[in-house]
Amino acid sequence: MVFGETAKVFFLASGAAEGYSPLNAFDAALIQAGIGDFNLVKVSSIIPPGCKEVRPRSHPPGSVVPAAYAYIISDIPGEVVSAAVAAALPERETDAGLIMEYSARGHQQEAEEIVRNMAVEGMRIRGRGIKEIKSLAVEYKVQTIGAAVAAVVLWPYHEETDD
Amino acid sequence: MVFGETAKVFFLASGAAEGYSPLNAFDAALIQAGIGDFNLVKVSSIIPPGCKEVRPRSHPPGSVVPAAYAYIISDIPGEVVSAAVAAALPERETDAGLIMEYSARGHQQEAEEIVRNMAVEGMRIRGRGIKEIKSLAVEYKVQTIGAAVAAVVLWPYHEETDD
Amino acid sequence: MVFGETAKVFFLASGAAEGYSPLNAFDAALIQAGIGDFNLVKVSSIIPPGCKEVRPRSHPPGSVVPAAYAYIISDIPGEVVSAAVAAALPERETDAGLIMEYSARGHQQEAEEIVRNMAVEGMRIRGRGIKEIKSLAVEYKVQTIGAAVAAVVLWPYHEETDD
């Protein structure tokens, strides 16, 4: 997959963890999410037409992989932080879908509800029907330094879907 | 276009809009700018030698596209926010040009003037003459949650210029 | 190098400079680091298995290049700011290594020590031995507006190592 191309499959992932520093906490959360050995490139945030969900993939390590993600890092002991993503898939296969990301203090149930509403709203202003919304959220209660991350990975390899 | 390659054409785009959430406002501003269905990848911020301006492009949806952009999101009703970009094109075709981005509270005229000065300064410290500066700015008066975005899109497709 | 591929070589770079605006200071710091004419794409932050360090490269201008980097911009005259990166290379050639980035007020010696500890910790939680840690840091005493940047550039070209 090169610049100007579109991903054919995607997957959702989330994780949360403690860390030695803020960046280590983010890194550990990525590891928990199963995507800690990628070179993630942040994108704004479209599911290409026909792009299908697959089970999470993890290899090869170090590969450069586009992803839309939300994260939150906190160093306030006892604080609960959450990250969530939603992927709205279009009714019409020729339309693009949409990814929304959200992170905040508070619980994952609220974060997931908010990010799903964001995805609904993003499709509404595009005038596109929604076939289905895939979403994933995670929460974490900080001990010393903690992070939560949720991602939609646009898998850049040419491969079949799982089914 | 792959990593390690250069874009052959670019275009400027800007937009501003209201949104259901801060990210929805940003998303709506991208839609207004005509680039709401891309997976934008933020880059720091060079016009490759020989890269030409073209009219804005918009397809295919979901493709991964490098862009330099500025944005600002505000939830202060009545606040005016602006985003601006400038692309300084070099006198010598074999030199690289430069993109600068700027966003702030205030009006687009000031933002555009500032970003143009930033581009002049960036070329000056490189010791390069300027053939022309292309710039674009947009302002937005926030109702509830609003965003403004200005972008230089490095179009990753192999294609001819408009002329 | 395309999305889904891995870099074969990397190099470290750092720089610091004064600028006309915050973004100009960052841009000038990139120039000082020898990477001011790239379209850098920020990645999170893996050294692929077998990826080797090389001497810094600089051409062609405007090419899109993945990099992990830390930066800090300050407009407080007299403030000392530092940026640092560390690349932990694995004992086993088939394992991935890790990049950590850190920036803060203060001196480069502390920043470099912290970022090296961050890299050690990141490898520890992955259960991987460390063969060597490459690190680089830079500090800058701000006059009016200053920036410091440190980067690990994942060189996207197919080429041999220096030796």
Side-chain angles (χ1 to χ4, degrees):
Chain A
M1 178 183 167
V2 305
F3 284 101
E5 285 188 353
T6 58
K8 302 296 174 280
V9 298
F10 70 93
F11 64 84
L12 277 63
S14 67
E18 202 67 13
Y20 162 81
S21 74
L23 185 56
N24 281 280
F26 175 63
D27 179 51
L30 290 176
I31 294 173
Q32 287 303 116
I35 54 177
D37 274 331
F38 289 133
N39 280 308
L40 295 178
V41 171
K42 200 170 174 73
V43 295
S44 74
S45 308
I46 298 301
I47 302 284
C51 189
K52 305 282 187 201
E53 192 183 18
V54 293
R55 284 187 300 270
R57 270 76 165 134
S58 64
H59 280 277
S63 55
V64 178
V65 172
Y69 57 88
Y71 70 94
I72 182 166
I73 303 171
S74 168
D75 60 0
I76 300 176
E79 187 167 73
V80 174
V81 292
S82 292
V85 284
L89 305 182
E91 266 180 351
R92 296 200 313 174
E93 277 246 327
T94 52
D95 280 342
L98 184 66
I99 304 165
M100 283 280 164
E101 316 97 44
Y102 179 72
S103 63
R105 281 171 287 177
H107 291 281
Q108 71 180 74
Q109 195 174 334
E110 286 88 338
E112 189 163 359
E113 191 180 327
I114 288 168
V115 83
R116 290 179 67 93
N117 288 342
M118 289 165 64
V120 167
E121 179 61 20
M123 292 296 271
R124 189 188 66 74
I125 67 166
R126 285 171 171 79
R128 291 182 197 149
I130 295 171
K131 180 185 166 195
E132 185 181 7
I133 297 181
K134 308 275 188 176
S135 60
L136 193 61
V138 62
E139 72 179 43
Y140 186 71
K141 190 169 183 177
V142 177
Q143 297 167 38
T144 305
I145 304 174
V149 65
V152 177
V153 176
L154 298 171
W155 193 240
Y157 300 93
H158 290 280
E159 61 172 77
E160 298 301 308
T161 56
D162 296 326
D163 36 61
Chain B
M1 178 182 169
V2 305
F3 284 102
E5 286 189 354
T6 57
K8 302 295 173 281
V9 298
F10 70 92
F11 63 84
L12 278 62
S14 69
E18 202 67 11
Y20 162 82
S21 74
L23 184 56
N24 281 281
F26 175 63
D27 178 52
L30 290 175
I31 293 172
Q32 288 304 116
I35 54 177
D37 274 331
F38 290 133
N39 280 308
L40 295 178
V41 171
K42 198 171 175 73
V43 296
S44 74
S45 308
I46 300 300
I47 301 283
C51 190
K52 304 284 187 202
E53 191 182 19
V54 292
R55 284 188 299 270
R57 271 72 166 138
S58 66
H59 281 276
S63 55
V64 177
V65 171
Y69 58 87
Y71 70 94
I72 182 166
I73 303 170
S74 168
D75 60 0
I76 299 177
E79 188 168 73
V80 174
V81 292
S82 293
V85 285
L89 305 182
E91 266 180 352
R92 294 200 314 172
E93 276 247 327
T94 52
D95 280 342
L98 184 66
I99 304 164
M100 283 280 165
E101 314 97 48
Y102 179 72
S103 63
R105 281 170 286 176
H107 291 280
Q108 71 180 74
Q109 196 175 335
E110 286 88 338
E112 189 163 0
E113 190 180 329
I114 288 169
V115 82
R116 290 178 68 93
N117 288 341
M118 290 167 62
V120 168
E121 178 62 20
M123 292 297 272
R124 189 189 65 74
I125 67 165
R126 284 171 171 80
R128 291 183 196 147
I130 295 172
K131 180 184 163 197
E132 184 181 7
I133 296 181
K134 306 275 188 175
S135 61
L136 192 61
V138 63
E139 72 178 41
Y140 187 71
K141 190 169 183 176
V142 177
Q143 298 167 36
T144 306
I145 304 175
V149 64
V152 177
V153 176
L154 298 171
W155 193 239
Y157 300 92
H158 291 281
E159 61 173 78
E160 298 302 308
T161 56
D162 296 325
D163 36 61
Chain C
M1 179 182 169
V2 305
F3 284 101
E5 285 189 352
T6 58
K8 302 295 173 280
V9 299
F10 70 92
F11 63 84
L12 278 62
S14 68
E18 202 68 11
Y20 163 81
S21 74
L23 184 57
N24 282 279
F26 175 63
D27 179 51
L30 290 175
I31 293 172
Q32 287 304 115
I35 54 177
D37 273 331
F38 290 132
N39 281 308
L40 295 179
V41 171
K42 199 170 175 72
V43 295
S44 72
S45 306
I46 299 300
I47 302 283
C51 189
K52 306 282 187 204
E53 192 183 17
V54 293
R55 284 188 299 271
R57 270 74 165 134
S58 66
H59 281 277
S63 56
V64 178
V65 171
Y69 57 88
Y71 70 93
I72 182 167
I73 303 170
S74 169
D75 60 0
I76 300 177
E79 187 168 71
V80 174
V81 292
S82 292
V85 284
L89 305 182
E91 266 180 353
R92 295 200 314 174
E93 276 246 329
T94 51
D95 279 344
L98 185 65
I99 303 164
M100 283 281 165
E101 314 97 49
Y102 179 72
S103 63
R105 280 171 287 179
H107 291 281
Q108 71 181 73
Q109 197 174 333
E110 287 90 336
E112 189 162 2
E113 191 180 329
I114 288 169
V115 82
R116 290 179 68 92
N117 288 342
M118 289 166 63
V120 168
E121 179 63 19
M123 291 297 271
R124 191 188 65 73
I125 67 165
R126 284 172 171 79
R128 291 181 196 149
I130 295 171
K131 180 185 165 196
E132 184 181 9
I133 296 181
K134 308 274 188 175
S135 60
L136 192 62
V138 63
E139 72 179 42
Y140 186 71
K141 190 168 183 176
V142 176
Q143 298 167 36
T144 305
I145 304 174
V149 65
V152 178
V153 176
L154 298 171
W155 193 239
Y157 300 93
H158 291 280
E159 61 172 77
E160 298 302 307
T161 56
D162 296 325
D163 36 63

